[in-house]
Amino acid sequence: LFHNPLYFEDFALERYGHTYPDFIQPFVSVGKAGAQFIGLPYQMALAHPCNREFTLGYLVPGDCNPRLLYQVPLDLRSAAVAGAAYTGIIFLFP
């Protein structure tokens, strides 16, 4: 089984159930979704929308799920594409 890239996925919350306290979690989720929306051109350059992604390699149910810190992979080509997209958006809406 495969799926296309999920650009607005929160791995720690949705896959492993790692949450913050109840009154903080909504703000963390909205902040993360906002940051992912702003970084969407970069994410789309990293993982093309037609790519096939497989869930193999993720932790399976029953395993110990350690709390991990996920980082954005750095890629010069994706940064150039995102910069061009942001520049185009600025020129489109002055």
Side-chain angles (χ1 to χ4, degrees):
L1 298 175
F2 67 90
H3 57 82
N4 293 345
L6 303 173
Y7 298 118
F8 295 99
E9 184 177 26
D10 185 359
F11 290 109
L13 177 63
E14 296 172 3
R15 291 189 183 269
Y16 307 128
H18 296 157
T19 62
Y20 291 94
D22 291 338
F23 58 92
I24 296 175
Q25 183 62 50
F27 299 107
V28 171
S29 294
V30 167
K32 188 173 284 191
Q36 289 173 338
F37 180 73
I38 291 171
L40 188 61
Y42 185 81
Q43 292 181 37
M44 291 180 79
L46 274 176
H48 192 271
C50 294
N51 282 358
R52 292 181 175 182
E53 291 192 1
F54 300 90
T55 56
L56 297 174
Y58 293 121
L59 298 173
V60 295
D63 285 350
C64 178
N65 297 327
R67 187 173 292 269
L68 301 173
L69 178 64
Y70 296 97
Q71 298 178 358
V72 177
L74 299 177
D75 183 38
L76 188 59
R77 180 188 154 280
S78 299
V81 170
Y86 296 140
T87 302
I89 291 170
I90 287 171
F91 283 129
L92 189 61
F93 300 108

Coordinates of all heavy atoms in Angstrom, one line a residue:
L1 N 0.8 -1.2 0.0 CA 0.0 0.0 0.0 C 0.9 1.2 0.0 O 1.9 1.3 0.7 CB -0.9 0.0 1.2 CG -1.9 -1.1 1.3 CD1 -2.6 -1.1 2.6 CD2 -2.8 -1.1 0.2
F2 N 0.5 2.2 -0.7 CA 1.2 3.5 -0.8 C 0.2 4.7 -0.8 O -1.0 4.5 -1.0 CB 2.1 3.6 -2.0 CG 1.4 3.6 -3.3 CD1 1.0 4.8 -3.9 CD2 1.0 2.4 -4.0 CE1 0.4 4.9 -5.1 CE2 0.4 2.5 -5.2 CZ 0.0 3.7 -5.7
H3 N 0.7 5.9 -0.6 CA 0.0 7.1 -0.7 C 0.8 8.2 -1.2 O 2.1 8.1 -1.3 CB -0.6 7.4 0.7 CG 0.4 7.6 1.8 ND1 1.1 8.8 1.9 CD2 0.9 6.7 2.7 CE1 2.0 8.6 3.0 NE2 1.9 7.4 3.4
N4 N 0.2 9.3 -1.6 CA 1.0 10.5 -2.0 C 1.5 11.2 -0.8 O 1.0 10.9 0.4 CB 0.1 11.4 -2.8 CG -0.3 10.8 -4.2 OD1 0.3 9.8 -4.6 ND2 -1.3 11.3 -4.8
P5 N 2.5 12.1 -0.9 CA 3.0 12.8 0.3 C 1.9 13.5 1.1 O 1.0 14.1 0.5 CB 4.0 13.8 -0.3 CG 4.3 13.3 -1.6 CD 3.1 12.5 -2.1
L6 N 2.1 13.4 2.4 CA 1.2 14.1 3.3 C 1.9 15.3 3.8 O 2.8 15.2 4.7 CB 0.8 13.2 4.5 CG 0.1 11.9 4.0 CD1 0.0 11.0 5.3 CD2 -1.2 12.1 3.4
Y7 N 1.5 16.5 3.3 CA 2.3 17.7 3.7 C 1.9 18.3 5.0 O 2.6 19.1 5.6 CB 2.1 18.8 2.6 CG 2.6 18.3 1.2 CD1 1.7 18.2 0.1 CD2 3.9 18.0 1.0 CE1 2.2 17.8 -1.1 CE2 4.4 17.6 -0.2 CZ 3.5 17.5 -1.2 OH 4.0 17.1 -2.5
F8 N 0.7 18.0 5.5 CA 0.3 18.6 6.8 C 0.1 17.5 7.9 O -0.8 17.6 8.7 CB -1.1 19.3 6.6 CG -0.9 20.5 5.7 CD1 -1.3 20.4 4.3 CD2 -0.4 21.7 6.1 CE1 -1.1 21.5 3.5 CE2 -0.3 22.8 5.3 CZ -0.6 22.7 4.0
E9 N 1.0 16.6 7.9 CA 0.9 15.5 8.9 C 1.8 15.8 10.1 O 2.9 16.3 10.0 CB 1.4 14.2 8.3 CG 1.2 13.0 9.2 CD 1.6 11.7 8.5 OE1 2.4 11.7 7.6 OE2 1.1 10.7 9.0
D10 N 1.2 15.6 11.3 CA 2.0 15.7 12.5 C 2.3 14.3 13.0 O 1.5 13.6 13.6 CB 1.1 16.4 13.6 CG 1.9 16.7 14.8 OD1 3.1 16.3 14.9 OD2 1.3 17.3 15.7
F11 N 3.5 13.8 12.7 CA 3.9 12.4 13.0 C 3.7 12.1 14.4 O 3.2 11.0 14.8 CB 5.4 12.1 12.6 CG 5.6 12.1 11.1 CD1 6.2 13.2 10.5 CD2 5.1 11.1 10.3 CE1 6.4 13.2 9.1 CE2 5.3 11.1 9.0 CZ 6.0 12.1 8.4
A12 N 4.3 12.9 15.3 CA 4.3 12.6 16.7 C 2.8 12.5 17.3 O 2.6 11.6 18.1 CB 5.0 13.6 17.5
L13 N 2.0 13.3 16.9 CA 0.6 13.3 17.4 C -0.3 12.2 16.7 O -0.9 11.4 17.4 CB -0.1 14.7 17.2 CG -1.5 14.8 17.6 CD1 -1.6 14.6 19.1 CD2 -2.0 16.2 17.2
E14 N -0.2 12.2 15.4 CA -1.2 11.3 14.7 C -0.7 9.9 14.6 O -1.6 9.0 14.6 CB -1.3 11.9 13.2 CG -2.0 13.2 13.2 CD -2.0 13.8 11.8 OE1 -1.6 13.2 10.9 OE2 -2.4 15.0 11.7
R15 N 0.6 9.6 14.6 CA 1.0 8.2 14.5 C 1.3 7.6 15.8 O 1.1 6.4 16.0 CB 2.3 8.1 13.6 CG 2.0 8.4 12.2 CD 3.3 8.1 11.4 NE 3.1 8.4 10.0 CZ 2.6 7.5 9.1 NH1 2.3 6.3 9.4 NH2 2.4 7.9 7.8
Y16 N 1.9 8.4 16.8 CA 2.3 7.8 18.0 C 1.6 8.3 19.2 O 1.8 7.9 20.3 CB 3.8 8.1 18.2 CG 4.6 7.6 17.0 CD1 5.5 8.5 16.3 CD2 4.5 6.4 16.5 CE1 6.2 8.1 15.2 CE2 5.2 5.9 15.4 CZ 6.0 6.8 14.7 OH 6.7 6.4 13.6
G17 N 0.7 9.3 19.1 CA -0.1 9.8 20.2 C 0.7 10.7 21.2 O 0.2 10.8 22.4
H18 N 1.8 11.2 20.8 CA 2.6 12.1 21.7 C 1.9 13.5 21.7 O 1.9 14.2 20.7 CB 4.0 12.2 21.3 CG 4.8 10.9 21.4 ND1 5.9 10.7 20.7 CD2 4.5 9.8 22.1 CE1 6.3 9.5 20.9 NE2 5.5 8.9 21.8
T19 N 1.4 13.9 22.9 CA 0.6 15.1 23.0 C 1.2 16.0 24.0 O 2.0 15.6 24.8 CB -0.8 14.9 23.3 OG1 -0.9 14.3 24.6 CG2 -1.5 14.0 22.3
Y20 N 0.8 17.3 23.9 CA 1.1 18.3 25.0 C -0.1 18.3 25.9 O -1.1 17.7 25.6 CB 1.4 19.6 24.3 CG 2.6 19.7 23.5 CD1 2.6 19.5 22.1 CD2 3.9 20.0 24.1 CE1 3.8 19.5 21.4 CE2 5.0 20.0 23.4 CZ 5.0 19.8 22.0 OH 6.2 19.8 21.3
P21 N 0.0 19.1 27.0 CA -1.2 19.2 27.9 C -2.4 19.7 27.1 O -2.3 20.4 26.1 CB -0.7 20.2 28.9 CG 0.8 20.1 29.0 CD 1.2 19.7 27.6
D22 N -3.6 19.3 27.6 CA -4.8 19.6 26.8 C -5.0 21.1 26.4 O -5.6 21.3 25.4 CB -6.0 19.1 27.6 CG -6.1 17.6 27.7 OD1 -5.4 16.9 26.9 OD2 -6.7 17.1 28.7
F23 N -4.6 22.0 27.2 CA -4.9 23.4 26.9 C -3.8 24.0 26.0 O -4.0 25.1 25.5 CB -5.0 24.2 28.2 CG -3.7 24.1 29.1 CD1 -2.7 25.1 29.0 CD2 -3.6 23.1 30.0 CE1 -1.6 25.0 29.8 CE2 -2.5 23.0 30.8 CZ -1.5 23.9 30.7
I24 N -2.7 23.3 25.8 CA -1.6 23.8 24.9 C -1.7 23.1 23.5 O -1.4 23.7 22.5 CB -0.3 23.5 25.5 CG1 -0.1 24.3 26.8 CG2 0.9 23.9 24.6 CD1 1.1 24.0 27.6
Q25 N -2.2 21.9 23.4 CA -2.2 21.1 22.2 C -2.8 21.8 21.0 O -2.3 21.8 19.9 CB -2.8 19.7 22.4 CG -2.7 18.8 21.2 CD -1.3 18.5 20.7 OE1 -0.5 18.2 21.5 NE2 -1.0 18.7 19.5
P26 N -4.0 22.4 21.2 CA -4.6 23.1 20.0 C -3.7 24.2 19.4 O -3.6 24.4 18.2 CB -5.9 23.7 20.5 CG -6.2 22.9 21.7 CD -4.9 22.5 22.3
F27 N -3.0 24.9 20.3 CA -2.2 26.0 19.8 C -0.9 25.5 19.1 O -0.5 26.0 18.1 CB -1.8 26.9 21.0 CG -3.0 27.6 21.7 CD1 -3.4 27.2 22.9 CD2 -3.7 28.6 21.0 CE1 -4.5 27.7 23.5 CE2 -4.8 29.2 21.6 CZ -5.2 28.8 22.9
V28 N -0.4 24.4 19.6 CA 0.8 23.8 19.0 C 0.4 23.2 17.6 O 1.1 23.4 16.6 CB 1.3 22.6 19.9 CG1 2.4 21.8 19.2 CG2 1.9 23.2 21.2
S29 N -0.8 22.6 17.5 CA -1.2 22.1 16.2 C -1.5 23.2 15.2 O -1.1 23.0 14.0 CB -2.5 21.2 16.4 OG -2.2 20.1 17.2
V30 N -2.1 24.2 15.6 CA -2.4 25.4 14.7 C -1.1 26.0 14.3 O -0.9 26.3 13.1 CB -3.4 26.4 15.4 CG1 -3.4 27.7 14.6 CG2 -4.7 25.8 15.5
G31 N -0.2 26.2 15.2 CA 1.1 26.7 14.9 C 1.9 25.9 13.9 O 2.5 26.3 12.9
K32 N 1.9 24.6 14.1 CA 2.6 23.6 13.2 C 1.9 23.6 11.8 O 2.6 23.6 10.8 CB 2.6 22.2 13.8 CG 3.4 21.3 13.0 CD 3.5 19.9 13.8 CE 4.5 20.1 14.9 NZ 4.9 18.8 15.5
A33 N 0.6 23.6 11.8 CA -0.1 23.7 10.5 C 0.2 25.0 9.7 O 0.4 25.0 8.5 CB -1.6 23.5 10.7
G34 N 0.3 26.1 10.5 CA 0.6 27.4 9.8 C 2.0 27.4 9.3 O 2.2 27.9 8.2
A35 N 2.9 26.8 10.0 CA 4.3 26.8 9.6 C 4.4 25.9 8.4 O 5.2 26.1 7.4 CB 5.2 26.3 10.7
Q36 N 3.7 24.8 8.4 CA 3.7 23.9 7.2 C 3.0 24.5 6.0 O 3.5 24.2 4.9 CB 3.0 22.5 7.6 CG 3.8 21.7 8.5 CD 3.1 20.5 9.0 OE1 1.8 20.4 9.0 NE2 3.8 19.5 9.5
F37 N 2.0 25.3 6.2 CA 1.4 26.0 5.1 C 2.4 27.0 4.5 O 2.5 27.1 3.2 CB 0.1 26.7 5.5 CG -0.6 27.5 4.4 CD1 -1.2 26.8 3.4 CD2 -0.5 28.8 4.4 CE1 -1.9 27.5 2.4 CE2 -1.2 29.5 3.3 CZ -1.8 28.8 2.4
I38 N 3.1 27.8 5.3 CA 4.1 28.7 4.8 C 5.2 28.0 4.1 O 5.7 28.5 3.1 CB 4.6 29.6 5.9 CG1 3.5 30.5 6.4 CG2 5.8 30.4 5.5 CD1 3.8 31.3 7.7
G39 N 5.6 26.8 4.6 CA 6.7 26.1 4.0 C 6.2 25.1 2.9 O 7.0 24.2 2.5
L40 N 5.0 25.2 2.4 CA 4.4 24.3 1.4 C 5.2 24.2 0.1 O 5.5 23.1 -0.3 CB 3.0 24.6 1.2 CG 2.2 23.6 0.3 CD1 2.2 22.2 1.0 CD2 0.8 24.0 0.1
P41 N 5.7 25.3 -0.4 CA 6.5 25.2 -1.6 C 7.8 24.4 -1.4 O 8.2 23.6 -2.3 CB 6.8 26.7 -2.0 CG 5.7 27.5 -1.4 CD 5.4 26.7 -0.2
Y42 N 8.4 24.6 -0.3 CA 9.6 23.8 0.1 C 9.3 22.4 0.2 O 10.0 21.5 -0.3 CB 10.2 24.4 1.4 CG 11.5 23.8 1.7 CD1 12.7 24.2 1.2 CD2 11.6 22.8 2.7 CE1 13.9 23.7 1.5 CE2 12.8 22.2 3.0 CZ 14.0 22.6 2.4 OH 15.2 22.1 2.8
Q43 N 8.2 22.0 0.9 CA 7.8 20.6 1.1 C 7.5 20.0 -0.3 O 7.8 18.8 -0.5 CB 6.6 20.5 2.0 CG 6.9 20.9 3.4 CD 5.7 20.8 4.3 OE1 4.9 19.8 4.1 NE2 5.5 21.7 5.2
M44 N 6.8 20.7 -1.2 CA 6.5 20.2 -2.5 C 7.7 20.0 -3.4 O 7.7 19.1 -4.2 CB 5.4 21.1 -3.2 CG 4.1 21.0 -2.5 SD 2.9 22.1 -3.2 CE 2.4 21.0 -4.6
A45 N 8.7 20.8 -3.2 CA 10.0 20.6 -3.9 C 10.7 19.4 -3.3 O 11.4 18.7 -4.1 CB 10.8 21.8 -3.9
L46 N 10.6 19.1 -2.0 CA 11.3 18.0 -1.4 C 10.6 16.7 -1.9 O 11.3 15.7 -2.2 CB 11.2 18.1 0.1 CG 12.3 18.9 0.8 CD1 12.0 18.9 2.3 CD2 13.7 18.2 0.5
A47 N 9.3 16.7 -1.8 CA 8.5 15.4 -2.2 C 7.5 15.8 -3.2 O 6.5 16.5 -2.8 CB 7.9 14.9 -0.9
H48 N 7.7 15.5 -4.4 CA 6.8 15.8 -5.5 C 5.4 15.2 -5.2 O 5.3 14.1 -4.6 CB 7.3 15.2 -6.8 CG 6.6 15.7 -8.0 ND1 5.5 15.1 -8.5 CD2 6.8 16.8 -8.8 CE1 5.0 15.7 -9.6 NE2 5.8 16.8 -9.8
P49 N 4.3 16.0 -5.5 CA 3.0 15.5 -5.2 C 2.6 14.1 -5.8 O 1.7 13.5 -5.2 CB 2.1 16.6 -5.8 CG 2.9 17.8 -5.9 CD 4.3 17.3 -6.1
C50 N 3.3 13.7 -6.8 CA 2.9 12.4 -7.4 C 3.8 11.2 -6.9 O 3.7 10.1 -7.4 CB 3.0 12.5 -8.9 SG 1.8 13.6 -9.7
N51 N 4.7 11.5 -6.0 CA 5.6 10.5 -5.4 C 4.8 9.5 -4.7 O 3.8 9.8 -4.0 CB 6.6 11.1 -4.5 CG 7.8 11.7 -5.2 OD1 7.9 11.7 -6.4 ND2 8.7 12.3 -4.4
R52 N 5.2 8.2 -4.7 CA 4.6 7.2 -3.9 C 5.4 7.1 -2.6 O 6.6 7.0 -2.6 CB 4.6 5.9 -4.6 CG 3.8 5.8 -5.8 CD 3.9 4.5 -6.5 NE 2.9 4.4 -7.6 CZ 2.8 3.3 -8.3 NH1 3.5 2.2 -8.0 NH2 1.9 3.3 -9.3
E53 N 4.7 7.1 -1.5 CA 5.3 7.0 -0.2 C 4.7 5.7 0.5 O 3.5 5.5 0.4 CB 5.1 8.2 0.7 CG 5.8 9.4 0.2 CD 5.8 10.5 1.2 OE1 5.2 10.4 2.3 OE2 6.4 11.6 0.9
F54 N 5.5 5.0 1.1 CA 5.1 3.8 1.8 C 5.3 3.9 3.3 O 6.2 4.6 3.7 CB 6.0 2.6 1.3 CG 5.9 2.3 -0.2 CD1 6.7 3.0 -1.1 CD2 4.9 1.5 -0.7 CE1 6.6 2.8 -2.4 CE2 4.7 1.3 -2.0 CZ 5.6 1.9 -2.9
T55 N 4.4 3.3 4.1 CA 4.5 3.5 5.5 C 5.5 2.5 6.1 O 5.6 2.5 7.4 CB 3.1 3.3 6.1 OG1 2.6 2.0 5.7 CG2 2.2 4.4 5.7
L56 N 6.1 1.7 5.4 CA 7.1 0.8 5.9 C 8.3 1.6 6.6 O 8.7 2.6 6.1 CB 7.7 -0.1 4.8 CG 6.7 -1.0 4.1 CD1 7.4 -1.8 3.0 CD2 6.1 -2.0 5.1
G57 N 8.7 1.1 7.7 CA 9.8 1.8 8.3 C 9.4 2.6 9.5 O 10.2 3.0 10.4
Y58 N 8.1 2.9 9.6 CA 7.6 3.5 10.8 C 7.4 2.5 11.9 O 7.4 1.3 11.7 CB 6.2 4.2 10.6 CG 6.2 5.3 9.6 CD1 5.5 5.3 8.4 CD2 7.0 6.4 9.9 CE1 5.5 6.4 7.6 CE2 7.0 7.5 9.0 CZ 6.3 7.5 7.8 OH 6.3 8.5 7.0
L59 N 7.4 3.0 13.2 CA 7.2 2.1 14.3 C 5.8 1.4 14.2 O 4.9 2.0 13.8 CB 7.3 2.8 15.6 CG 8.7 3.5 15.8 CD1 8.7 4.4 17.1 CD2 9.8 2.5 16.0
V60 N 5.8 0.1 14.5 CA 4.5 -0.6 14.4 C 3.8 -0.6 15.8 O 4.5 -0.4 16.8 CB 4.8 -2.1 13.9 CG1 5.3 -2.0 12.5 CG2 5.8 -2.8 14.9
P61 N 2.5 -0.9 15.8 CA 1.8 -0.9 17.1 C 2.4 -2.0 18.0 O 2.8 -3.1 17.6 CB 0.4 -1.3 16.7 CG 0.3 -0.9 15.3 CD 1.6 -1.1 14.7
G62 N 2.5 -1.6 19.3 CA 3.1 -2.5 20.3 C 4.5 -2.2 20.6 O 5.1 -2.7 21.6
D63 N 5.2 -1.5 19.7 CA 6.6 -1.1 20.0 C 6.7 0.0 20.9 O 5.7 0.8 21.1 CB 7.3 -0.7 18.7 CG 7.7 -1.9 17.8 OD1 7.6 -3.0 18.2 OD2 8.1 -1.6 16.6
C64 N 7.8 0.2 21.6 CA 8.0 1.4 22.4 C 8.2 2.6 21.5 O 9.1 2.5 20.6 CB 9.2 1.2 23.3 SG 9.6 2.6 24.3
N65 N 7.4 3.6 21.6 CA 7.5 4.7 20.8 C 8.2 5.9 21.5 O 7.6 6.6 22.2 CB 6.1 5.2 20.4 CG 5.3 4.2 19.6 OD1 5.9 3.5 18.8 ND2 4.0 4.1 19.8
P66 N 9.5 6.0 21.2 CA 10.3 7.1 21.8 C 9.8 8.5 21.3 O 9.4 8.6 20.1 CB 11.7 6.8 21.4 CG 11.6 6.1 20.1 CD 10.3 5.3 20.2
R67 N 9.9 9.5 22.1 CA 9.6 10.8 21.7 C 10.8 11.4 20.9 O 11.9 11.5 21.4 CB 9.4 11.7 22.9 CG 8.8 13.1 22.5 CD 8.4 13.9 23.7 NE 7.2 13.3 24.4 CZ 6.0 13.7 24.1 NH1 5.8 14.6 23.1 NH2 5.0 13.2 24.7
L68 N 10.6 11.6 19.6 CA 11.6 12.1 18.7 C 11.4 13.5 18.3 O 10.3 14.0 18.3 CB 11.7 11.2 17.5 CG 11.9 9.7 17.7 CD1 11.8 8.9 16.4 CD2 13.3 9.5 18.3
L69 N 12.4 14.2 17.9 CA 12.4 15.6 17.4 C 12.6 15.5 15.9 O 13.7 15.2 15.5 CB 13.4 16.5 18.1 CG 13.5 17.9 17.6 CD1 12.2 18.6 18.0 CD2 14.6 18.6 18.2
Y70 N 11.5 15.8 15.2 CA 11.6 15.7 13.7 C 12.1 17.1 13.2 O 11.6 18.1 13.6 CB 10.2 15.4 13.1 CG 9.8 14.0 13.5 CD1 8.9 13.8 14.6 CD2 10.2 12.9 12.9 CE1 8.5 12.5 14.9 CE2 9.9 11.6 13.2 CZ 9.0 11.4 14.3 OH 8.6 10.2 14.7
Q71 N 13.0 17.0 12.2 CA 13.6 18.2 11.7 C 13.3 18.3 10.2 O 13.1 17.3 9.5 CB 15.1 18.3 11.9 CG 15.5 18.3 13.3 CD 17.0 18.3 13.5 OE1 17.7 18.2 12.5 NE2 17.4 18.3 14.7
V72 N 13.3 19.5 9.7 CA 13.1 19.7 8.2 C 14.4 19.3 7.5 O 15.4 19.9 7.9 CB 12.7 21.1 7.9 CG1 12.5 21.4 6.4 CG2 11.4 21.5 8.6
P73 N 14.3 18.5 6.5 CA 15.6 18.2 5.8 C 16.0 19.4 5.0 O 15.2 20.0 4.3 CB 15.2 17.0 4.9 CG 13.7 16.9 4.9 CD 13.2 17.7 6.1
L74 N 17.3 19.7 5.0 CA 17.8 20.8 4.3 C 18.3 20.4 2.9 O 19.0 19.4 2.7 CB 19.0 21.4 5.0 CG 18.7 21.9 6.4 CD1 20.0 22.4 7.1 CD2 17.7 23.0 6.4
D75 N 17.8 21.1 1.9 CA 18.1 20.8 0.5 C 18.2 22.1 -0.3 O 17.3 22.9 -0.3 CB 17.0 19.9 -0.1 CG 17.3 19.4 -1.5 OD1 18.4 19.2 -1.8 OD2 16.3 19.4 -2.3
L76 N 19.3 22.3 -1.0 CA 19.6 23.5 -1.7 C 18.6 23.7 -2.8 O 18.1 24.8 -3.1 CB 21.0 23.6 -2.1 CG 21.5 24.9 -2.7 CD1 21.4 26.0 -1.7 CD2 23.0 24.8 -3.2
R77 N 18.3 22.6 -3.6 CA 17.4 22.7 -4.7 C 16.0 23.1 -4.3 O 15.4 24.0 -4.9 CB 17.4 21.4 -5.5 CG 16.5 21.4 -6.7 CD 16.4 20.0 -7.3 NE 15.1 19.8 -8.0 CZ 13.9 19.6 -7.4 NH1 13.8 19.5 -6.1 NH2 12.9 19.5 -8.2
S78 N 15.6 22.5 -3.2 CA 14.2 22.8 -2.7 C 14.2 24.2 -2.2 O 13.1 24.9 -2.3 CB 13.8 21.9 -1.6 OG 13.8 20.5 -2.1
A79 N 15.2 24.7 -1.6 CA 15.3 26.1 -1.1 C 15.2 27.1 -2.3 O 14.5 28.1 -2.2 CB 16.5 26.3 -0.3
A80 N 15.9 26.8 -3.4 CA 15.8 27.6 -4.6 C 14.4 27.6 -5.2 O 13.9 28.7 -5.6 CB 16.9 27.2 -5.6
V81 N 13.8 26.5 -5.2 CA 12.4 26.4 -5.8 C 11.5 27.2 -4.9 O 10.6 27.9 -5.4 CB 12.0 24.9 -5.9 CG1 10.5 24.8 -6.2 CG2 12.8 24.3 -7.0
A82 N 11.6 27.0 -3.6 CA 10.7 27.7 -2.6 C 11.0 29.3 -2.7 O 10.0 30.0 -2.7 CB 11.0 27.3 -1.2
G83 N 12.2 29.7 -2.9 CA 12.5 31.1 -3.0 C 11.9 31.7 -4.3 O 11.4 32.8 -4.3
A84 N 12.0 30.9 -5.4 CA 11.3 31.4 -6.6 C 9.8 31.4 -6.4 O 9.2 32.4 -7.0 CB 11.7 30.4 -7.7
A85 N 9.2 30.5 -5.7 CA 7.8 30.5 -5.5 C 7.4 31.7 -4.7 O 6.4 32.4 -5.0 CB 7.3 29.2 -4.9
Y86 N 8.1 32.0 -3.6 CA 7.8 33.1 -2.7 C 8.0 34.4 -3.5 O 7.2 35.4 -3.4 CB 8.7 33.1 -1.5 CG 8.5 32.0 -0.6 CD1 9.5 31.3 0.0 CD2 7.2 31.5 -0.3 CE1 9.4 30.2 0.8 CE2 7.0 30.4 0.5 CZ 8.1 29.8 1.1 OH 7.9 28.7 1.9
T87 N 9.0 34.5 -4.4 CA 9.2 35.7 -5.2 C 8.1 35.9 -6.1 O 7.6 37.0 -6.3 CB 10.5 35.6 -5.9 OG1 11.6 35.5 -5.0 CG2 10.8 36.9 -6.7
G88 N 7.6 34.8 -6.8 CA 6.5 34.9 -7.7 C 5.2 35.3 -7.0 O 4.4 36.1 -7.5
I89 N 5.0 34.9 -5.8 CA 3.8 35.2 -5.0 C 3.9 36.7 -4.7 O 2.9 37.4 -4.8 CB 3.6 34.4 -3.8 CG1 3.3 32.9 -4.2 CG2 2.6 34.9 -2.8 CD1 3.3 31.9 -3.0
I90 N 5.0 37.2 -4.3 CA 5.2 38.6 -4.0 C 4.9 39.5 -5.2 O 4.3 40.5 -5.1 CB 6.6 38.9 -3.4 CG1 6.7 38.3 -2.0 CG2 6.9 40.4 -3.4 CD1 8.1 38.3 -1.4
F91 N 5.4 39.1 -6.4 CA 5.2 39.9 -7.6 C 3.7 39.7 -8.1 O 3.2 40.6 -8.7 CB 6.1 39.4 -8.7 CG 7.5 40.0 -8.5 CD1 8.6 39.1 -8.6 CD2 7.7 41.3 -8.3 CE1 9.9 39.6 -8.5 CE2 9.0 41.8 -8.2 CZ 10.1 41.0 -8.3
L92 N 3.1 38.6 -7.7 CA 1.7 38.4 -8.1 C 0.7 39.3 -7.3 O -0.2 39.8 -7.8 CB 1.3 36.9 -8.0 CG 0.0 36.5 -8.5 CD1 -0.1 36.7 -10.0 CD2 -0.3 35.0 -8.2
F93 N 1.0 39.4 -6.0 CA 0.2 40.2 -5.1 C 1.1 41.3 -4.5 O 1.6 41.2 -3.4 CB -0.4 39.4 -4.0 CG -1.2 38.2 -4.5 CD1 -0.8 36.9 -4.4 CD2 -2.5 38.5 -5.0 CE1 -1.6 35.9 -4.9 CE2 -3.3 37.4 -5.4 CZ -2.8 36.1 -5.4
P94 N 1.2 42.5 -5.2 CA 2.1 43.5 -4.7 C 1.6 44.2 -3.5 O 1.0 44.6 -2.8 CB 2.2 44.5 -5.8 CG 1.1 44.2 -6.8 CD 0.7 42.8 -6.5

